[in-house]
Amino acid sequence: MRVLIVGAGVAGLSAARGLALAGHDVEVYEAAPELRTEGGSISIWPATVGVLREFRVDLDGAGRRLEAMVSLSPRGRRLGTIDLTAVERAFDGLPALHIARRELVERLADGVPVRYGHEITEVDPDRAEIVFADGTTARGDLLVGADGRRSVVRRALGGGEARLNGWVTWQAFTALPADIVDAGRTVLVSNGRSLGSIAPAGHGRALWWFDLRAKPGSRFWGDAPDILDRLRARFGRWPDPFPAVLEHAETAAFHPHHLHRVPSTWGRGPTTLLGDAVHTMPPAMAMGAAQAVEDAWALSRTPDDPRAYERARTKTVRRVARMVATEMPSRQGPLTGLVPDARSGKSYVKWLRSATDYL
């Protein structure tokens, strides 16, 4: 089959690798002039690691293997620890990794021919045909829209826009503190209204972030020049490492949280969607990239029947989207300390199994 993929992000590059390995002629078109490497870092869970290995993505030395998630109260009391090495054992040795988005897309793009600078202005879903800004066209046997939340392909299919859910993330990389950057543990603090977290991303860096409620026009919305002062005022008394990280921070990136309604099927004829183009979800439980990679794996198994791929994925994607939409990590707060660590670990394994079709 001749497969046209629109978008060279995590979803599109994963699909390109999976479909090419399945023997198909794959063409990837990206509107940007070069590989888009912006963004923070991404947690990839055991099933995602399994798919990436199956797609022959070189993960040697990638990011940082995660060994534990430690929850603290806003006053620094340890509430609980999820042993991610036990989770790894439960998934036959497949680890959890935290990796900078730049590093992930660079590894996914290795060996994948991408045609950059190809902006698409029109899409004919029924003919699997795309029209570029210069007036040229391309047509395939299968058209895959992997062009993100503002997907051109989704609009051509009549899909609705993603909506804001009232939460935002502020985040940035940091090279300190060393005991976090060089370790394999993620630290989380929640007061039931907001979440702070810091996780190692490998290569001497960690990502810190805060998830909190904010609406357009409010004091934590948009690129306010004094945003770091506002974050310090709100979170500067939280336990280490947050005061030190905020004290040395020079910048922070703003990301509003969006949600898509996930339909039963999301394509038409020889055209389908995957990743954020069809199921944008908040980053609260680190599931966006995982579901995009699983989409690519599922599609690579039945590219001649895109409706079968969509039906196979709908149940799991809807379950994940519903859970993530609750922004549960930010809402839990001190209640986390009421659950024994062993029980939390078993619950996390159960959650990860429910969030995958691969394992």
Side-chain angles (χ1 to χ4, degrees), residues 262-266 310-319:
V262 182
S264 299
T265 56
W266 46 72
E310 294 161 11
R311 289 191 296 270
R313 290 291 293 142
T314 296
K315 184 177 180 180
T316 297
V317 171
R318 280 182 170 172
R319 180 190 305 119

Side-chain angles (χ1 to χ4, degrees), residues 67-320:
E67 299 163 9
M69 289 194 298
V70 181
S71 295
L72 304 176
S73 76
R75 294 188 176 183
R77 181 170 65 89
R78 192 189 74 84
L79 300 176
T81 299
I82 294 178
D83 180 359
L84 293 178
T85 64
V87 174
E88 184 175 320
R89 291 192 295 273
F91 288 100
D92 299 323
L94 291 172
L97 301 175
H98 195 75
I99 182 172
R101 184 185 180 279
R102 170 186 286 272
E103 184 177 9
L104 179 58
V105 296
E106 286 176 344
R107 288 177 181 248
L108 281 167
D110 185 32
V112 177
V114 180
R115 302 183 187 187
Y116 295 102
H118 280 67
E119 181 183 357
I120 293 168
T121 57
E122 295 180 44
V123 177
D124 185 340
D126 300 306
R127 291 165 51 88
E129 186 174 54
I130 49 182
V131 180
F132 302 103
D134 64 2
T136 59
T137 64
R139 186 177 177 186
D141 301 305
L142 174 66
L143 173 61
V144 180
D147 47 340
R149 177 168 55 83
R150 299 182 181 89
S151 173
V152 175
V153 181
R154 181 185 176 94
R155 286 201 299 270
L157 287 164
E161 297 296 322
R163 61 178 177 82
L164 294 168
N165 79 337
W167 290 76
V168 303
T169 295
W170 285 97
Q171 65 179 33
F173 283 105
T174 181
L176 55 85
D179 64 338
I180 294 291
V181 170
D182 298 331
R185 70 181 186 277
T186 298
V187 175
L188 306 97
V189 177
S190 172
N191 61 7
R193 301 180 304 278
S194 51
L195 170 79
S197 188
I198 183 168
H203 315 293
R205 294 199 304 171
L207 188 80
W208 60 263
W209 68 92
F210 293 99
D211 294 342
L212 63 157
R213 287 184 176 277
K215 295 181 179 180
S218 65
R219 62 194 307 265
F220 286 102
W221 183 274
D223 296 323
D226 63 343
I227 187 60
L228 288 173
D229 290 335
R230 298 181 188 187
L231 291 172
R232 290 176 187 126
R234 180 157 176 173
F235 300 108
R237 294 185 179 181
W238 277 22
D240 290 334
F242 297 102
V245 165
L246 286 171
E247 179 184 353
H248 290 85
E250 297 180 354
T251 184
F254 170 68
H255 299 280
H257 294 191
H258 289 82
L259 278 172
H260 266 137
R261 184 187 67 81
V262 182
S264 299
T265 56
W266 46 72
R268 188 172 76 235
T271 298
T272 191
L273 303 166
L274 49 75
D276 282 350
V278 65
H279 47 67
T280 295
M281 58 186 71
M285 300 178 75
M287 278 289 148
Q291 296 307 309
V293 172
E294 290 239 1
D295 286 349
W297 170 77
L299 181 61
S300 70
R301 294 164 63 86
T302 59
D304 56 336
D305 189 352
R307 298 300 84 72
Y309 142 72
E310 294 161 11
R311 289 191 296 270
R313 290 291 293 142
T314 296
K315 184 177 180 180
T316 297
V317 171
R318 280 182 170 172
R319 180 190 305 119
V320 172

